[in-house]
Amino acid sequence: LATTVSANWLDAFSQDFKRRVLSLFAYDFRAFSPSLALSIVSPKVQFGSATKDLEEKGGDKDQDTPAGLAVPGDGAEAAGKEPAASTSLTTTQLAEYLTQYDMKRLEMYGRNLVDYHIIVDLLPTLARLYFLQRLPVTLSYGQAAILLSLGLQHKDVTKVTEELNLPSNQVLALFNKAMRKVSNYLRQLQEKAVESSMAKTKDVTLLPTAQGLDEELEEGAAELSEQLKEKRDELLKSISVSQFAIKGTDQEWEATLGKSSNPTMISVKSSNAEPEPKKRKEAPQQAKKHGGKWNKKGRK
């Protein structure tokens, strides 16, 4: 009977085994030492460019790995294969595991604002995502051992210090450094998602104007002058200037200018002069009213 076997059956079997053993660490495998547990899961601790960030933070593998912790393999097997892009967390998948309040608690612990008990409930989720290579964060073997012991085996800090032969303050310092790296990675993941959803900026090329500033001012002044001229013409058309016309004909002006001895003062008889109003004879009537007599000069 011919059967077809996928070429990637070994990788699929390894991933299935890792998922199952990670869940069993909370049960009978809880008694495993950190060295044995790490040798079983063979975690990937170096993720490309994140190694540089680890060195800048001051936590390389030799300094953060306890002397009593056996590093599995020679480093090549533990490093494993680079996870595919599809296996890394997306913002949509992250929202299924952690809320914004969880992210805030994790950030506050990374900044040493709260105690580690505040994020204990997040450790099983974070540890499982890390060992399944869903969180490509570079950790030392010591930090990975502490995350496995606290997050998957559900051990307390006292038990971890005994197994790693380290003081509790050093264990908590390594754990805090690991959680800070996880928090920074998750924040950058959200920032990139927001950045990709924003509209892309367009490059603006500034070109010189077709005309200079002086030319533009002269053109504006010419337009304004033309508008003022049009308004003036309209105003003159609306006003009757016949009332300001000079009276007299040309012959009358010639005769007047020729006879006048004082050319600064001349007079021309108007052709349409209005008659003077008649004087009212009120004095005699008032005299009769008061019984008096008036003479020719108007006095009594």
Side-chain angles (χ1 to χ4, degrees):
L1 180 63
T3 58
T4 57
V5 180
S6 174
N8 297 328
W9 69 270
L10 185 58
D11 293 338
F13 177 79
S14 175
Q15 291 295 326
D16 181 69
F17 169 79
K18 184 176 292 187
R19 288 188 178 91
R20 295 174 61 186
V21 75
L22 290 177
S23 300
L24 293 175
F25 275 135
Y27 298 95
D28 293 340
F29 293 171
R30 187 171 183 267
F32 289 175
S33 63
S35 300
L36 178 59
L38 286 179
S39 64
I40 294 175
V41 296
S42 297
K44 177 179 175 61
V45 294
Q46 299 292 334
F47 288 90
S49 60
T51 305
K52 182 179 180 180
D53 179 71
L54 176 63
E55 294 175 354
E56 293 176 354
K57 296 295 183 179
D60 55 7
K61 183 178 70 173
D62 295 334
Q63 293 177 353
D64 290 350
T65 302
L69 181 63
V71 178
D74 57 357
E77 295 179 1
K81 297 182 178 180
E82 188 72 21
S86 59
T87 60
S88 300
L89 271 180
T90 62
T91 53
T92 304
Q93 295 172 345
L94 178 62
E96 299 176 359
Y97 296 102
L98 300 175
T99 65
Q100 294 297 329
Y101 301 104
D102 297 336
M103 298 280 295
K104 187 63 178 179
R105 284 188 292 148
L106 190 62
E107 180 182 359
M108 292 178 65
Y109 175 71
R111 297 168 58 185
N112 294 319
L113 298 178
V114 295
D115 190 67
Y116 79 96
H117 295 94
I118 301 298
I119 63 167
V120 170
D121 59 305
L122 305 178
L123 297 183
T125 301
L126 296 177
R128 186 173 183 84
L129 292 175
Y130 171 75
F131 287 105
L132 290 177
Q133 298 184 14
R134 304 296 302 278
L135 288 177
V137 180
T138 297
L139 300 180
S140 66
Y141 285 106
Q143 293 171 338
I146 296 172
L147 181 60
L148 188 148
S149 300
L150 297 177
L152 297 179
Q153 293 182 314
H154 300 176
K155 297 178 181 179
D156 55 12
V157 177
T158 304
K159 184 66 175 178
V160 175
T161 56
E162 294 177 356
E163 293 180 345
L164 296 180
N165 195 20
L166 291 175
S168 59
N169 59 347
Q170 186 174 353
V171 171
L172 292 177
L174 294 176
F175 176 68
N176 180 270
K177 188 183 299 184
M179 292 299 99
R180 189 185 309 124
K181 294 176 183 178
V182 173
S183 176
N184 292 338
Y185 171 78
L186 296 179
R187 186 182 67 254
Q188 293 175 3
L189 183 65
Q190 291 181 327
E191 290 176 354
K192 290 181 179 179
V194 173
E195 182 180 357
S196 62
S197 62
M198 297 174 61
K200 296 183 178 180
T201 58
K202 297 181 179 179
D203 296 334
V204 179
T205 303
L206 299 179
L207 300 176
T209 56
Q211 59 182 359
L213 179 60
D214 296 338
E215 296 177 355
E216 186 176 356
L217 292 176
E218 292 177 358
E219 182 180 352
E223 293 179 358
L224 181 59
S225 178
E226 186 67 23
Q227 294 176 1
L228 293 176
K229 184 179 180 181
E230 293 178 358
K231 291 181 179 180
R232 183 189 61 186
D233 295 341
E234 293 177 358
L235 183 61
L236 291 177
K237 291 179 181 178
S238 63
I239 299 176
S240 177
V241 295
S242 60
Q243 57 180 333
F244 304 107
I246 300 176
K247 310 297 182 178
T249 62
D250 293 340
Q251 293 78 8
E252 292 175 348
W253 276 101
E254 290 177 357
T256 302
L257 291 175
K259 295 179 181 180
S260 177
S261 60
N262 188 7
T264 59
M265 297 180 62
I266 58 176
S267 61
V268 178
K269 185 178 180 180
S270 176
S271 60
N272 56 351
E274 297 180 356
E276 295 182 359
K278 296 181 179 181
K279 296 182 179 180
R280 298 175 61 184
K281 298 181 180 180
E282 296 180 354
Q285 295 178 358
Q286 291 182 0
K288 292 180 180 180
K289 184 177 179 181
H290 295 286
K293 294 181 179 180
W294 287 76
N295 55 14
K296 292 182 179 179
K297 295 182 179 180
R299 290 177 293 179
K300 189 173 178 180

